[in-house]
Amino acid sequence: MAILPEEWDASFHKALPILEEGGYLPKEDLPKVKRILFACAMTYVSAALLRMLFVWRWFKR
């Protein structure tokens, strides 16, 4: 979970402004790009939850 804030910052505070200000994307595509970046950040959340489940299985034995 410690990586999530870094990923969030990299996606929304660094990459997104570069894409917006650099003219790489049409304005109408920005909501779609934000959803994709959000989904990418959530992969870190799901990976952390999966690791917690594996640790729980070790203690269950």
Side-chain angles (χ1 to χ4, degrees), residues 7-53:
E7 175 63 26
W8 196 268
D9 180 58
S11 294
F12 289 97
H13 297 131
K14 293 184 177 110
L16 190 59
I18 289 171
L19 293 172
E20 286 177 325
E21 295 165 10
Y24 295 102
L25 299 169
K27 296 278 186 198
E28 60 270 5
D29 286 345
L30 286 177
K32 296 172 190 169
V33 169
K34 288 178 183 179
R35 286 179 35 200
I36 291 169
L37 290 174
F38 179 78
C40 291
M42 289 299 108
T43 60
Y44 287 94
V45 173
S46 62
L49 291 174
L50 188 60
R51 285 188 202 116
M52 287 173 33
L53 286 173

